[in-house]
């Protein structure tokens, strides 16, 4: 049997992701500042699943650089509603989803940085609900560089041809930012996006048509809610983590 043409194989790879993961943040897993208002010196476990702070800070710097150095937006039509290149939804729909979810607003405070050294956790889990990596959040809002740090770390552990299906409660907004600002570089072309199934109903109807996992090729019955189940399983740790040292365990 003769091998399939390369073009056909590429289409199949892009239409069905090789790896499926989910992302989510939790602002109940906070850690109070010390008595002097400072952070303890981290003690890193050799098998930690936490991404180092310097790696997360480097991603934050890169995100700021790309946003500040981006070209000025092109002139819009009179109605102001267009479909940006490489996206499938008009700005009005994406803006509506952005307004509907507090997680999409990076400037909205979810935890006080005055009282908490770590304001929450963001996790990446595989489709079998196993933790791959965690990030300590230190900002008041759910900033995109946390999610991008997790995605980049995943790509570093995958073959260069592997594609990833990403489930996230605001996947439409992350997709929009990656396309607009050029985050993740060439690796961005290996990502496909879907919204966690129970969050999807809070999005605009056109957004559900494009990003609902039951309407996306290759996601099967993955619901993207593994992080929610993980947060539920570790909720008993909330009181002790309030007064613990820097989280760097497995």
């Amino acid at each position: 049997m003769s091998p399939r043409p390369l073009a056909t194989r590429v289409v199949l790879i892009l239409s069905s992701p090789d790896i499926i993961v989910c992302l989510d943040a939790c602002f109940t897993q906070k850690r109070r500042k010390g008595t002097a208002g400072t952070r303890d010196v981290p003690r890193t476990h050799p098998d930690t699943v936490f991404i180092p702070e310097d790696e997360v800070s480097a991603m934050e710097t890169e995100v700021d650089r790309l946003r500040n150095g981006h070209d000025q937006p092109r002139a819009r039509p009179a109605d102001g509603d267009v479909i940006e290149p490489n996206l499938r939804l008009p700005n009005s729909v994406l803006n509506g989803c952005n307004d509907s979810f507090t997680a999409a607003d990076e400037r909205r405070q979810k935890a006080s940085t005055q009282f908490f050294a770590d304001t929450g956790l963001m996790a990446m889990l595989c489709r079998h609900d196993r933790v791959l990596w965690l990030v300590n959040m230190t900002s008041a809002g759910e900033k995109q560089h946390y999610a991008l740090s997790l995605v980049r770390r995943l790509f570093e552990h995958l073959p260069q041809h592997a594609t990833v299906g990403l489930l996230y409660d605001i996947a439409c907004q992350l997709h929009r930012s990656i396309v607009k600002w050029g985050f993740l570089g060439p690796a961005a072309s290996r990502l496909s996006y879907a919204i966690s199934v129970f969050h999807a109903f809070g999005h605009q109807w056109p957004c559900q048509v494009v990003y609902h996992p039951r309407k996306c090729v290759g996601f099967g019955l993955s619901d993207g809610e593994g992080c929610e189940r993980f947060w539920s399983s570790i909720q008993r740790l909330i009181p002790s983590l309030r007064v613990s040292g820097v989280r760097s365990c497995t």
Side-chain angles (χ1 to χ4, degrees):
M1 180 182 296
S2 60
R4 282 182 295 184
L6 177 61
T8 303
R9 284 180 284 163
V10 170
V11 170
L12 291 175
I13 288 173
L14 292 178
S15 62
S16 184
D18 300 315
I19 309 295
I20 295 177
V21 296
C22 62
L23 284 177
D24 193 25
C26 177
F27 282 88
T28 60
Q29 299 285 349
K30 304 182 183 70
R31 190 181 70 83
R32 294 193 184 101
K33 288 184 176 180
T35 54
T38 59
R39 304 179 82 245
D40 298 333
V41 177
R43 292 181 295 174
T44 304
H45 191 281
D47 295 323
T48 183
V49 295
F50 281 85
I51 296 180
E53 289 184 5
D54 56 351
E55 188 174 328
V56 179
S57 298
M59 176 58 76
E60 183 179 14
T61 301
E62 181 178 347
V63 167
D64 292 340
R65 177 182 63 81
L66 290 172
R67 285 177 172 168
N68 294 332
H70 198 273
D71 294 337
Q72 293 298 319
R74 296 181 299 274
R76 298 284 187 245
D79 58 6
D81 192 18
V82 297
I83 298 178
E84 299 286 352
N86 300 318
L87 294 176
R88 300 169 59 188
L89 294 172
N91 287 334
S92 60
V93 173
L94 293 172
N95 291 340
C97 293
N98 183 78
D99 295 338
S100 299
F101 283 84
T102 58
D105 188 352
E106 294 184 331
R107 295 168 296 181
R108 185 167 300 182
Q109 292 194 1
K110 295 183 178 181
S112 172
T113 55
Q114 179 181 356
F115 302 106
F116 297 101
D118 296 328
T119 55
L121 292 174
M122 180 172 280
M124 172 181 281
L125 275 67
C126 72
R127 70 180 304 272
H128 306 101
D129 292 359
R130 294 296 182 265
V131 176
L132 298 178
W133 288 282
L134 292 166
V135 167
N136 270 330
M137 295 190 294
T138 56
S139 59
E142 189 171 334
K143 295 184 177 294
Q144 288 184 338
H145 71 271
Y146 297 122
L148 294 169
S149 297
L150 291 164
V151 174
R152 174 170 287 180
R153 173 58 72 93
L154 175 64
F155 277 129
E156 290 174 352
H157 287 76
L158 295 177
Q160 292 187 357
H161 64 270
T163 56
V164 174
L166 179 64
L167 289 146
Y168 187 27
D169 55 356
I170 51 171
C172 59
Q173 304 301 314
L174 184 63
H175 185 193
R176 183 191 202 181
S177 294
I178 289 175
V179 169
K180 180 178 181 180
W181 306 112
F183 300 146
L184 301 177
S189 62
R190 296 157 54 194
L191 274 174
S192 55
Y193 306 84
I195 296 171
S196 307
V197 68
F198 296 123
H199 291 83
F201 298 102
H203 286 253
Q204 303 287 310
W205 170 242
C207 185
Q208 294 184 40
V209 172
V210 172
Y211 290 103
H212 196 292
R214 299 297 179 266
K215 297 176 174 66
C216 295
V217 175
F219 283 85
L221 296 178
S222 298
D223 59 14
E225 301 294 348
C227 291
E228 299 290 351
R229 292 185 283 271
F230 173 57
W231 303 138
S232 177
S233 69
I234 65 171
Q235 60 180 339
R236 63 184 182 279
L237 299 177
I238 293 174
S240 59
L241 287 179
R242 285 285 194 273
V243 294
S244 69
V246 176
R247 289 188 290 263
S248 57
C249 57
T250 58

